[in-house]
Structure formats: C-alpha cells, structure tokens
Amino acid sequence: MTAPQTLEVKFSHFGFHVQDLEGMANFYKAVLQFTETDRGGLGAFQLIFLSRDPDTHHQLALLTGRPDDVQAFNPINQISFQVPDMPNLRQVYQRALAAGASDMQATTHGNAVSLYFRDPEGNRIEVFMDTPWYCYQPLREPIDFDTSDEQVMEQAEAIAKRTPRFMPRAEWRAEMQVRMNRDQGRTA
C-alpha cells in the first residue's frame, strides 16, 4: 500500500454577490487598494475582478444579484485581509474612515491586532496583523487604537498573557507543523 500523496491546497479568492457593483468595487479599491483586473458579463450576472497580487488574476470577485432582503442575515461572517505591521493597519484605518466604513472596532485576539468594519453593503471586513504570540482561541477584546503603536502592542500582549497556553508564535508554529504533518500523513 502506497502512502497518500500530500494534498497541496492554498486559498485563492473570494466571490460574493453585491447590489451596487460599482460602489462596492470602488470601496475595495479605495480602502484596500485593490486593482480591477477584468470586468464583464456572464449570463444574467455582471462581474468585477479585483486583485492586489500580479500573479493572481483575482482575489475578490464581485457579482451582481444580491437580493434586497439579505440585510436581515448576511451569511458572510467576515472577509479577512492581513497586513504586515501597524503602519499598514493604521493606513487601512484612515482609508476606511475616509470611505465612510461603519461599525469600526479595534480588537485584539492576542495572536493578532484587528480592525473590523463594514463595507457599504454591510459585509464585515477584518484587517489584521499578526503578533509574535500565540494564545488560546477564541479571544476577542477591544483595544484603544487611538494610542501609540507601542501601547497597542502592550495592550495586546497583556491580554494574550492572561490566557491559557500563551507562548511565542514560533513555538506554536513548530507544534502545528508536527501536528499537520501527522494529520496529513507526512513523516517530517
């Protein structure tokens, strides 16, 4: 019996229906600096493709056809984007406020500092940066984003240290690599 081949999968893109195709595309272009890579029709739907990576045709696909009555319950919990550091997170914060994003919330998960806000059609967006720590999840506590970068990170670390299994991210990553190798039938 041969060992199963390692499955290689990585996340590619997210597509969702919208009511205002141009308005939603403009929001993602203004706030997160996506570039429109293509647009066109496919049957009854109009699409706009957006990306921030020249090797990836689209990371977001916006499609017409969202019904009016989905505001009562949106099946999209959140669309998450990662930034490398606090200056980038602050830039998104300013852009989102300037674009009229609603429901702005600054939080920490201990292992990340996150901003949550809503796009013009009510979809929740998370933009986050990793911290150098791991702690037990789920964890979500508000932080004061109107303080300095150092103070934000101090808040995040203090909250993370109060939780079970606090450790450096590198240590957690090494544990996860062993676990994933086992789960995926790899030996190394």
Side-chain angles (χ1 to χ4, degrees), residues 110-111 129-134 153 167-170:
N111 62 356
M129 59 159 278
D130 284 334
T131 66
W133 320 290
Y134 166 79
M153 294 303 288
M167 67 181 79
R169 181 179 289 274

Side-chain angles (χ1 to χ4, degrees), residues 5-49:
Q5 286 186 320
T6 300
L7 177 65
E8 294 188 29
V9 176
K10 70 176 186 175
F11 181 76
S12 171
H13 62 275
F14 191 89
F16 58 101
H17 292 279
V18 301
Q19 293 171 336
D20 177 3
L21 186 63
E22 293 299 329
M24 292 289 280
N26 289 338
F27 179 86
Y28 284 93
K29 291 177 194 178
V31 174
L32 296 171
Q33 295 185 312
F34 274 89
T35 296
E36 183 175 316
T37 60
D38 272 316
R39 68 168 54 218
L42 186 63
F45 300 101
Q46 292 297 310
L47 293 91
I48 294 180
F49 299 97

Side-chain angles (χ1 to χ4, degrees), residues 112-180:
V113 173
S114 299
L115 294 173
Y116 289 91
F117 53 92
R118 303 264 175 195
D119 72 16
E121 293 189 5
N123 300 302
R124 186 168 60 166
I125 299 170
E126 175 194 24
V127 181
F128 72 94
M129 59 159 278
D130 284 334
T131 66
W133 320 290
Y134 166 79
C135 62
Y136 185 77
Q137 299 296 315
L139 168 68
R140 181 176 171 180
E141 290 195 26
I143 56 171
D144 185 359
F145 205 68
D146 292 326
T147 60
S148 70
D149 292 358
E150 294 77 21
Q151 290 169 312
V152 167
M153 294 303 288
E154 287 170 5
Q155 290 174 64
E157 183 176 17
I159 290 167
K161 282 183 173 178
R162 293 193 313 248
T163 65
R165 299 187 352 223
F166 174 82
M167 67 181 79
R169 181 179 289 274
E171 186 178 325
W172 175 82
R173 186 191 182 287
E175 288 180 11
M176 285 299 104
Q177 187 65 62
V178 169
R179 194 156 128 201
M180 289 176 186

Side-chain angles (χ1 to χ4, degrees), residues 25-120:
N26 289 338
F27 179 86
Y28 284 93
K29 291 177 194 178
V31 174
L32 296 171
Q33 295 185 312
F34 274 89
T35 296
E36 183 175 316
T37 60
D38 272 316
R39 68 168 54 218
L42 186 63
F45 300 101
Q46 292 297 310
L47 293 91
I48 294 180
F49 299 97
L50 303 171
S51 185
R52 289 187 41 90
D53 181 349
D55 292 324
T56 304
H57 176 268
H58 61 278
Q59 295 169 310
L60 286 180
L62 306 177
L63 299 84
T64 57
R66 180 176 175 161
D68 291 334
D69 62 354
V70 297
Q71 292 295 346
F73 179 80
N74 188 337
I76 298 171
N77 176 35
Q78 67 193 43
I79 305 164
S80 298
F81 301 93
Q82 184 175 15
V83 295
D85 53 29
M86 283 297 295
N88 279 278
L89 195 59
R90 289 196 187 276
Q91 187 178 146
V92 169
Y93 178 73
Q94 293 302 322
R95 289 175 171 279
L97 290 176
S102 63
D103 196 21
M104 181 69 71
Q105 299 173 28
T107 66
T108 183
H109 300 289
N111 62 356
V113 173
S114 299
L115 294 173
Y116 289 91
F117 53 92
R118 303 264 175 195
D119 72 16

